[in-house]
């Protein structure tokens, strides 16, 4: 069989055209895209550090180029390939994630490729991945990020779309939504063999500086050894103040014809008219009496209302222009957007306009946002057809559309902002240049632009400087890309958003960050390294559930564990706003729609207990909390009756019962259907559809309210005939009930069709059932949930010797796929795998794994119990006398170090014994850099025959002490392999263990 042709720049056009066959131009790629691809290929997959490309020029094509470069360098003869993990990062809340849409399209085309250039690219990626998935796509957003396939294999090529907070917190070992035990894996993978493309880098200067520091500290100068390429960073922006390493041009060589499509976008006119100032007075100076300053703050809603009135007037006036069907209104605060919506709604009721209204903010649940956008997307997307018959539409938005939003307006009304922010907003106006000439209006309050005005919390002094610069023009300013005259640097700098600088990331900071178990005290806050000083804390993620009984908060953890929350149902809210809301000290939405923005106000809260802190079903600390116990980046779950959401997102004053999206989010993100047959859940779906006259609905609710009994309280699965019969009857009734929303009816029908493979669980109260269907399609077994290397959850018991061999096989496979060149390190990995679970020989632990099937002493040593039950784990542990927090890893260390001479033959050939002991100690995420404290006053003597050696330990070794060797080894290896290099080595070994466990659960190994 002949080898495929080498992927070179001559094949890039064919690749691009195969990806995007609908494009009318040939070649499909723009000249700058081909030039960048050529640059990356000539550098053997390495990227320029800065790229300057204008808005609407197709910047997301960097994803296409990165995938092609990875495939082109995938052949072993090329050495290390280009970065396997491609992070596309935007410091804005993603409303319409153009990058995600593009990434999913690339994945789909590669999956379906059956020939030609795409098949060659897909095959090259498959050789790197070692799975059936050429390219994985994941999105990291606030909440519980469930798309973890990218972090399940160090070899898997992947595109990861992320916000600054999500990827930045992972990079610094403090991943929001990531358990401390998994944090080193995420840090190692983000910082190693990865490319981070920071889009609109001017919005994220502190993070860019931190990335550069991490890139430096993960390089060769800060480690003695390395087994994988260090981090690469690309800063991309249309508004870089300095000269970029790769500059945009319409053409790059003699005879190369500029793209007509791109030229139309560049040459479109976008005229902006400055509207006379909205008179709102002047803010009192710092020397004014406190009472006067307090009064001024209390009058902010009135000033905001005046601005909203003017913006509404300008928007309706623009509707009268010829050809204007979609108006964009962009403001600086979520509260202002709400006020504009209220004014325009009232004007519509008064007959002043007939436009539909759409509010877009980043403060909404992704599922809500996606469903809402589905109704309007065809009318606002950039390649839409401008049909005259369409009803006019006014889209009211915040900063969330400034980057990553492929939206196209016919007219624009914007609140004054910094010059770079305005240029981003104008990038959504006539995005593809189809209209040629468009009009926009810029509105400002007098107190914003007065020369004595206080600095804006987001835009600083740039608001008034930008307004002053704009007013000096004697005519309307043209924001068209080619027609806009950028002022000279001395004039430009004051017009730009304040460029915060992150504190200098020092080795001492990384020494603190890399300690994850336990975390050190004091523990640095990652937020200041992501957004700079005077930064607000990370957002709180809120989930609404209808099945949480207000009078029994003690049951909430168990109830939520039945269907764990997913990011698609979570809303990110500023920390102080969430805190005030929970404490019932109601706050407005007067905050910017920007991650890490400094809090605009802070007030005392109450001390009710209205929320469940969610750290995971098995995590200590999950439970009811008060508002005062909230912490940045946490996830809380509240009853749907608490309100706080309307059709457009966050509305803290709303008391309407919030629709429960748990089933939809779980079904979507876990790819298996689930329905909670619970009266309150169904009532939240249906809302007004359930009324006194709807007898069918009332009968169904009455059946749901009847308690269901089971044979044993210890058994969480409803397997008796009555429960199954009740579930089938309820689901069948739902499939034909008109008052049930279509998406839930579809789930009910899907579950009924394959009911024999469903799992049924009950609520603690006995009222309601949870029915979980089978996974919809087989996925690569490398795709795991976090923590899937547990000793439980296998389809059947797994012997210790079998599991050990499985891990040896998988670690060899990963080392080969990741091209670990050092043969000594590869042999060490195999020996580590062969020894890592010896501590499971503990008599008590074996009794726990064997359960009631066979006495532990009479059965073989097990690595996995085969039990899939969750509710009785704590009871079984107590019965087996296994101390809380007991770690088999530490007993393994004792077996290997208590009698050095006996264990010596097992360590023959090991080139790095310290690495062996460290990876064994940390293979569940503990012991970085101190062992966990366990109260085990009388441990039994442990004895194990392994590979012909009889190992013994009395289990009394004190691994918690600082002189135990664990801490010294951790710091020795950190200095040798680097902060991120050591974390990557842990990730490679631990993920091999996870994959072996996944295959065992799926019964994928031959007996």
């Amino acid at each position: 069989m002949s080898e495929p042709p080498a992927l070179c720049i001559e094949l890039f056009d064919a690749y691009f055209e195969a990806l995007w066959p609908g494009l009318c131009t040939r070649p499909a790629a723009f000249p700058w895209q081909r030039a960048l691809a050529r640059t990356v290929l000539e550098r053997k997959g390495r990227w320029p550090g800065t790229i300057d490309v204008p808005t609407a020029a197709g910047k997301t094509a960097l994803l296409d180029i990165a995938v092609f470069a990875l495939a082109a360098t995938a052949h072993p003869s090329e050495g290390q390939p280009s970065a396997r993990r491609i992070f596309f990062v935007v410091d804005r809340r993603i409303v319409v994630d153009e990058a995600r849409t593009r990434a999913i399209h690339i994945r789909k085309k590669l999956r379906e490729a059956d020939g030609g250039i795409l098949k060659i690219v897909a095959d090259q990626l498959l050789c790197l991945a070692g799975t059936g998935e050429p390219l994985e796509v994941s999105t990291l957003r606030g909440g519980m990020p469930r798309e973890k396939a990218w972090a399940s294999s160090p070899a898997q090529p992947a595109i990861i779309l992320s916000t600054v907070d999500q990827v930045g917190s992972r990079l610094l070992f403090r991943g929001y939504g990531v358990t401390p035990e998994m944090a080193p894996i995420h840090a190692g993978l983000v910082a190693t063999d990865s490319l981070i493309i920071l889009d609109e880098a001017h919005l994220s200067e502190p993070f860019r500086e931190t990335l550069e520091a991490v890139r430096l500290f993960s390089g060769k100068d800060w480690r003695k050894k390395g087994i994988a390429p260090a981090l690469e960073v690309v800063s991309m922006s249309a508004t870089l103040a300095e000269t970029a390493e790769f500059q945009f041009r319409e053409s790059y060589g003699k005879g190369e014809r500029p793209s007509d499509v791109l030229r139309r976008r560049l040459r479109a006119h976008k005229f902006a008219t400055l509207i006379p100032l909205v008179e709102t007075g002047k803010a009192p100076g710092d020397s004014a009496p406190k009472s006067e300053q307090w009064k001024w703050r209390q009058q902010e809603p009135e000033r905001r209302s005046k601005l909203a009135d003017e913006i509404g007037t300008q928007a309706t006036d623009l509707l009268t222009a010829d050809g204007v069907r979609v108006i964009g209104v962009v403001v600086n605060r979520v509260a202002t957007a709400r006020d504009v919506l209220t004014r325009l709604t009232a004007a519509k009721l008064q007959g002043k306009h007939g436009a539909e209204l759409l509010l877009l903010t980043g403060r909404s649940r992704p599922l809500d946002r996606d469903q809402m956008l589905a109704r309007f997307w065809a009318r606002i997307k950039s390649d839409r057809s401008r049909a005259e018959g369409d009803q006019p539409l006014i889209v009211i938005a915040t900063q969330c559309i400034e980057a990553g939003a492929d939206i196209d307006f016919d007219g624009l009304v914007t609140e004054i902002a910094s010059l770079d922010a305005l240029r981003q907003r104008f990038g959504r106006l006539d995005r593809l240049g189809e209209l040629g000439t468009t009009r926009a209006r810029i509105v400002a309050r007098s107190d914003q632009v007065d020369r004595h005005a206080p600095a804006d919390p987001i835009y600083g002094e740039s608001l008034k400087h930008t307004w002053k610069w704009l007013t000096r023009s004697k005519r309307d300013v043209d924001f068209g890309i080619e027609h806009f005259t950028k002022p000279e640097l001395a004039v430009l700098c004051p017009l730009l958003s304040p460029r915060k600088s992150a504190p200098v990331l020092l080795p001492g900071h990384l020494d603190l960050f890399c300690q994850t178990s336990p975390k050190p005290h004091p523990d640095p806050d990652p937020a200041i390294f992501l957004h700079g000083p005077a930064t607000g804390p990370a957002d709180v993620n809120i989930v609404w559930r209808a099945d949480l009984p207000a009078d029994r908060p003690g049951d909430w953890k168990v109830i939520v564990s039945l269907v764990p929350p997913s990011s698609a149902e979570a809303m990110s809210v500023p920390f102080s706003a969430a805190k005030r809301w929970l404490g019932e000290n109601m706050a407005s939405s007067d905050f910017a729609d920007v991650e890490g923005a400094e809090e605009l106000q802070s007030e005392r809260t109450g001390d009710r207990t209205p929320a469940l802190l969610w750290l995971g079903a098995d995590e200590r600390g999950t439970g009811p909390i008060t508002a005062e116990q909230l912490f940045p980046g946490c996830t809380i779950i509240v009853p749907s009756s608490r309100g706080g959401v309307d059709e457009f997102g966050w509305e803290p004053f709303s008391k309407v019962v919030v629709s429960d999206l748990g089933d939809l989010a779980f079904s979507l993100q876990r790819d298996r259907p689930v329905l909670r047959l619970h009266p309150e859940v169904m009532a939240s779906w249906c809302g007004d559809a359930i009324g006194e006259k709807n007898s069918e609905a009332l009968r169904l609710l009455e059946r749901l309210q009847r308690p269901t009994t089971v044979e044993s309280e210890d058994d969480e699965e409803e397997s008796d005939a009555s429960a199954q019969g009740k579930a089938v009857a309820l689901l069948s009734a739902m499939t034909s009930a008109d008052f049930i929303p279509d998406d839930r009816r579809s789930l009910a029908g899907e579950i009924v069709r394959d009911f024999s493979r469903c799992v049924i669980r009950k609520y603690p109260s006995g009222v309601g059932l949870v029915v979980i269907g089978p996974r919809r399609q087989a996925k690569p077994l490398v795709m795991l949930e976090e923590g899937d290397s547990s000793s439980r959850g296998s389809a059947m018991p797994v012997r210790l010797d079998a599991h050990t061999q499985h891990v040896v096989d998988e670690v060899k496979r990963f080392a080969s796929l990741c091209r670990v060149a050092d043969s000594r390190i590869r042999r060490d990995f195999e020996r580590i795998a062969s020894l890592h679970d010896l501590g499971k020989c503990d008599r008590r632990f074996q009794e726990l794994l064997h359960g009631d099937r066979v006495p532990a002493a009479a059965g073989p040593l097990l690595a996995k119990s085969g039990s899939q039950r969750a509710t009785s784990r704590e009871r079984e542990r107590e019965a087996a006398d296994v101390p809380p927090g007991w770690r088999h890893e530490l007993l393994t260390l004792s077996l290997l170090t208590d009698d050095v001479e006996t264990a010596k033959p097992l360590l023959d050939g090991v080139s790095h014994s310290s690495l062996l002991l460290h990876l064994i100690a940390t293979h569940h995420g503990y012991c970085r850099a101190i062992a966990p404290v366990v109260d085990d006053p009388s441990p039994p003597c442990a004895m194990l025959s392994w590979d012909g050696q009889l190992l013994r330990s009395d289990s009394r070794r004190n691994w918690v002490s600082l002189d135990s060797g664990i801490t010294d080894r951790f710091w020795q290896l950190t200095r040798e392999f680097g902060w991120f290099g050591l974390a990557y080595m842990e990730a490679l070994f631990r993920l091999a263990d996870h994959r072996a466990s996944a295959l065992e659960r799926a019964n994928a190994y031959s007996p």
Side-chain angles (χ1 to χ4, degrees):
M1 182 177 177
S2 60
E3 287 195 7
L7 293 173
C8 56
I9 189 60
E10 286 73 23
L11 293 175
F12 178 74
D13 275 328
Y15 158 77
F16 204 96
E17 291 172 14
L19 277 179
W20 309 100
L23 293 180
C24 59
T25 60
R26 291 295 181 267
F30 294 147
W32 77 264
Q33 294 166 344
R34 288 198 303 278
L36 179 59
R38 182 183 296 108
T39 299
V40 174
L41 291 179
E42 288 174 351
R43 296 183 177 191
K44 301 295 185 182
R46 304 300 166 235
W47 286 71
T50 53
I51 297 175
D52 187 355
V53 179
T55 299
K59 289 184 292 182
T60 49
L62 264 70
L63 298 177
D64 310 51
I65 297 170
V67 171
F68 186 80
L70 177 56
T73 57
H75 196 277
S77 64
E78 298 285 341
Q80 280 290 355
S82 185
R84 296 173 192 252
R85 285 169 289 280
I86 304 157
F87 291 86
F88 195 88
V89 183
V90 184
D91 193 17
R92 285 290 185 267
R93 309 229 151 255
I94 299 171
V95 176
V96 181
D97 190 351
E98 181 184 1
R100 176 175 171 80
T101 301
R102 192 177 192 105
I104 290 175
H105 175 85
I106 297 171
R107 180 180 65 182
K108 180 176 184 292
K109 297 292 286 188
L110 293 177
R111 279 177 174 176
E112 298 173 351
D114 56 4
I117 183 65
L118 292 185
K119 184 68 165 60
I120 295 173
V121 171
D123 287 346
Q124 293 285 74
L125 297 180
L126 287 171
C127 289
L128 286 175
T131 66
E133 180 63 78
L135 182 70
E136 186 52 57
V137 175
S138 294
T139 301
L140 303 181
R141 288 191 282 201
M144 297 62 53
R146 279 295 172 188
E147 298 181 72
K148 297 189 180 77
W150 73 274
S152 297
S153 167
Q156 178 65 53
I159 294 175
I160 304 103
L161 297 316
S162 178
T163 59
V164 165
D165 273 344
Q166 288 297 317
V167 73
S169 62
R170 283 164 169 76
L171 187 63
L172 296 179
F173 293 86
R174 295 294 183 271
Y176 300 142
V178 179
T179 63
E181 292 73 36
M182 287 294 291
I185 289 181
H186 286 242
L189 293 182
V190 173
T192 310
D193 203 2
S194 294
L195 167 70
I196 294 183
I197 300 171
L198 183 59
D199 191 18
E200 304 303 345
H202 67 284
L203 301 174
S204 314
E205 182 63 18
F207 182 50
R208 189 191 67 79
E209 293 172 347
T210 296
L211 282 176
E212 288 301 322
V214 169
R215 188 180 65 80
L216 171 67
F217 291 140
S218 61
K220 295 179 180 179
D221 293 340
W222 289 87
R223 64 184 184 190
K224 297 177 182 178
K225 299 177 183 176
I227 64 170
L231 177 68
E232 275 198 277
V233 178
V234 173
S235 298
M236 180 171 61
S237 177
T239 53
L240 285 171
E242 67 278 5
T243 301
E245 189 176 345
F246 179 87
Q247 289 277 359
F248 169 84
R249 295 200 298 269
E250 284 197 61
S251 63
Y252 287 81
K254 293 182 179 180
E256 183 176 47
R257 184 170 177 268
S259 166
D260 292 336
V261 172
L262 185 55
R263 179 169 288 185
R264 185 171 64 243
R265 301 179 190 180
L266 299 177
R267 297 188 176 180
H269 293 277
K270 304 178 183 183
F271 293 107
T273 300
L274 270 63
I275 304 302
L277 287 174
V278 178
E279 289 300 328
T280 50
K282 295 183 179 180
D286 293 338
S287 60
K290 296 292 185 183
S291 59
E292 187 177 338
Q293 295 182 29
W294 179 87
K295 184 179 179 181
W296 174 262
R297 289 194 298 270
Q298 296 303 110
Q299 294 171 342
E300 172 59 20
E302 299 173 20
R303 295 189 294 274
R304 203 170 56 230
S305 178
K306 289 183 179 181
L307 176 66
D309 285 338
E310 183 61 38
I311 289 175
T313 298
Q314 296 300 326
T316 53
D317 186 53
L318 266 183
L319 282 175
T320 62
D322 291 339
V324 176
R325 312 296 294 173
V326 179
I327 300 291
V329 172
V330 188
V331 295
N332 301 341
R333 301 283 188 276
V334 176
T336 308
R338 284 279 178 182
D339 284 351
V340 173
L341 175 67
T342 301
R343 301 304 186 279
L344 288 174
T345 300
K348 183 175 182 178
L349 293 175
Q350 296 168 11
K352 295 181 180 179
H353 70 86
E356 288 187 84
L357 302 174
L358 171 63
L359 175 65
L360 294 180
T361 75
R363 309 300 178 174
S364 57
R365 297 182 291 182
L367 267 180
D368 284 337
R369 191 164 59 234
D370 292 346
Q371 292 172 355
M372 179 174 59
L373 280 169
R375 295 167 39 212
F376 295 97
W377 184 237
R379 296 163 59 187
I380 64 175
K381 63 180 181 176
S382 63
D383 59 346
R384 62 189 168 93
S385 60
R386 288 178 160 85
E388 287 295 326
D390 283 348
Q391 183 179 359
L393 175 65
I394 299 177
V395 181
I396 307 156
T398 57
Q399 296 97 336
C400 67
I401 69 161
E402 289 181 3
D406 193 19
I407 293 175
D408 192 4
F409 300 136
D410 302 334
L412 176 68
V413 180
T414 174
E415 183 179 2
I416 185 64
S418 61
L419 185 61
D420 50 327
L422 288 177
R423 293 192 69 188
Q424 287 295 323
R425 296 176 188 187
F426 275 85
R428 315 304 139 192
L429 177 62
D430 193 18
R431 187 162 172 77
L432 302 185
E434 293 177 345
L435 296 177
T437 300
T438 48
R439 295 282 174 179
R441 297 174 184 184
I442 302 176
V443 184
R445 291 169 18 180
S446 61
D447 68 294
Q448 290 177 311
V449 298
D450 178 74
R451 64 191 184 94
H452 298 298
D456 184 84
I458 302 300
Y459 299 111
E461 301 287 337
S462 65
L463 284 186
K464 48 191 174 187
H465 289 305
T466 300
W467 181 263
K468 183 178 180 180
W469 180 79
L470 291 172
T471 55
R472 286 178 178 174
S473 175
K474 296 181 180 180
R475 54 188 174 81
D476 291 348
V477 178
D478 191 343
F479 276 85
I481 295 172
E482 280 196 355
H483 307 288
F484 182 80
T485 303
K486 186 190 293 186
E488 60 186 28
L489 190 60
V491 177
L492 176 64
C493 288
L495 311 182
L496 303 178
S497 299
R499 301 294 178 95
K500 294 181 180 178
S501 286
V504 178
L505 185 69
L506 299 172
H509 293 124
L510 289 177
D511 279 348
L512 292 171
F513 278 129
C514 74
Q515 298 177 63
T516 55
S517 179
K519 294 179 183 178
H521 184 76
D523 186 22
D525 181 2
I528 63 171
F529 295 98
L530 308 182
H531 302 290
T535 292
D539 291 349
V540 170
N541 306 295
I542 306 177
V543 173
W544 284 260
R545 288 293 180 88
D547 50 0
L548 303 182
D551 58 338
R552 295 198 308 279
D555 290 345
W556 289 4
K557 177 179 178 179
V558 175
I559 292 171
V560 174
S561 298
L562 297 174
V563 179
S566 304
S567 60
E569 59 175 319
M571 181 188 297
S572 295
V573 175
F575 173 73
S576 68
K579 192 171 181 180
R580 292 193 300 270
W581 179 69
L582 281 180
E584 295 201 332
N585 186 347
M586 282 302 179
S588 71
S589 302
D590 192 17
F591 47 78
D593 210 355
V594 179
E595 278 191 335
E598 185 178 0
E599 297 294 339
L600 305 184
Q601 54 182 312
S602 179
E603 300 178 21
R604 187 176 176 274
T605 64
D607 59 356
R608 296 186 60 205
T609 310
L612 173 73
L613 174 65
W614 182 257
L615 301 174
D618 298 326
E619 296 298 322
R620 288 171 289 183
T622 295
I625 61 168
T626 67
E628 292 297 333
Q629 293 172 302
L630 282 184
F631 57 87
C634 72
T635 295
I636 59 172
I637 304 173
V638 298
S640 292
S641 58
R642 187 72 174 77
V645 177
D646 67 6
E647 62 177 318
F648 296 115
W650 176 245
E651 178 46 83
F653 299 104
S654 173
K655 292 296 183 181
V656 177
V657 174
V658 179
S659 176
D660 186 324
L661 301 179
D663 297 334
L664 288 180
F666 184 98
S667 300
L668 173 69
Q669 295 189 245
R670 310 292 184 89
D671 203 27
R672 59 190 308 178
V674 64
L675 276 176
R676 285 165 295 150
L677 306 178
H678 188 280
E680 297 300 330
V681 174
M682 195 182 81
S684 85
W685 300 340
C686 303
D688 296 337
I690 297 179
E692 294 182 2
K693 295 182 180 180
N694 193 332
S695 58
E696 183 183 1
L698 295 175
R699 284 197 303 271
L700 186 55
L701 284 177
E702 192 274 332
R703 292 170 67 185
L704 286 171
Q705 289 165 346
R706 297 175 191 164
T708 304
T709 59
V710 291
E711 296 176 0
S712 170
E713 292 182 356
D714 291 337
D715 190 356
E716 72 173 34
E717 296 189 3
E718 288 283 9
S719 58
D720 58 278
S722 63
Q724 293 187 24
K726 180 177 179 179
V728 169
L730 289 169
L731 290 166
S732 299
M734 290 174 63
T735 60
S736 58
D738 292 338
F739 59 87
I740 299 292
D742 292 343
D743 44 20
R744 273 73 170 197
R745 273 191 307 187
S746 177
L747 285 175
E750 184 180 358
I751 292 172
V752 167
R753 286 192 298 272
D754 203 2
F755 188 78
S756 62
R757 298 172 60 201
C758 292
V759 174
I760 305 176
R761 295 173 179 164
K762 75 178 183 75
Y763 280 84
S765 66
V767 175
L769 298 168
V770 177
V771 186
I772 303 176
R775 195 173 293 280
R776 292 187 176 106
Q777 59 182 2
K779 289 195 171 184
L781 289 168
V782 72
M783 299 169 66
L784 308 173
E785 300 295 339
E786 279 189 2
D788 272 355
S789 60
S790 163
S791 298
R792 294 179 170 270
S794 302
M796 57 189 305
V798 180
R799 292 169 56 117
L800 180 59
D801 54 358
H803 174 68
T804 298
Q805 186 58 50
H806 297 161
V807 178
V808 170
D809 294 341
E810 296 306 326
V811 82
K812 288 171 63 177
R813 179 174 166 278
F814 274 169
S816 175
L817 289 171
C818 295
R819 300 185 184 173
V820 177
D822 190 329
S823 59
R824 295 172 300 174
I825 293 292
R826 293 171 71 146
R827 287 195 299 270
D828 286 355
F829 272 132
E830 294 172 32
R831 184 56 57 89
I832 294 164
S834 70
L835 302 173
H836 76 288
D837 268 352
L838 298 186
K840 289 183 177 180
C841 71
D842 181 271
R843 173 181 55 78
R844 302 165 301 178
F845 194 67
Q846 284 298 307
E847 289 177 2
L848 175 63
L849 297 183
H850 279 273
D852 298 330
R853 290 181 297 277
V854 63
L861 290 176
L862 296 181
K864 309 286 180 181
S865 71
S867 170
Q868 296 188 8
R869 295 181 295 173
T871 55
S872 58
R873 289 182 184 179
E874 186 66 17
R875 199 168 304 163
E876 291 177 2
R877 182 192 61 74
E878 292 177 355
D881 201 26
V882 177
W886 182 85
R887 303 305 315 168
H888 68 271
E889 307 96 294
L890 298 182
L891 179 54
T892 303
L893 293 187
S894 295
L895 289 167
L896 292 175
T897 57
D898 280 2
D899 188 343
V900 176
E901 288 303 316
T902 302
K904 185 176 180 180
L906 297 177
L907 304 179
D908 279 348
V910 173
S911 66
H912 207 313
S913 58
S914 292
L915 180 64
L916 178 144
L917 295 176
H918 172 79
L919 291 184
I920 288 175
T922 59
H923 82 267
H924 282 286
Y926 299 94
C927 300
R928 296 186 108 247
I930 302 174
V933 177
V934 180
D935 184 13
D936 191 8
S938 55
C941 178
M943 185 165 51
L944 170 69
S945 178
W946 195 257
D947 280 355
Q949 302 301 311
L950 185 62
L951 304 176
R952 291 186 178 87
S953 173
D954 64 4
S955 301
R956 295 181 184 276
R957 179 76 170 270
N958 181 13
W959 290 106
V960 179
S961 63
L962 292 178
D963 62 353
S964 66
I966 286 180
T967 303
D968 290 341
R969 274 193 298 272
F970 173 76
W971 290 117
Q972 171 205 337
L973 294 168
T974 295
R975 299 294 177 253
E976 184 171 351
F977 294 101
W979 298 276
F980 302 100
L982 181 60
Y984 178 77
M985 296 179 81
E986 293 173 31
L988 193 151
F989 176 71
R990 292 178 61 191
L991 292 176
D993 189 9
H994 290 192
R995 178 177 168 83
S997 298
L999 291 167
E1000 289 162 354
R1001 277 196 309 280
N1003 243 352
Y1005 288 112
S1006 301

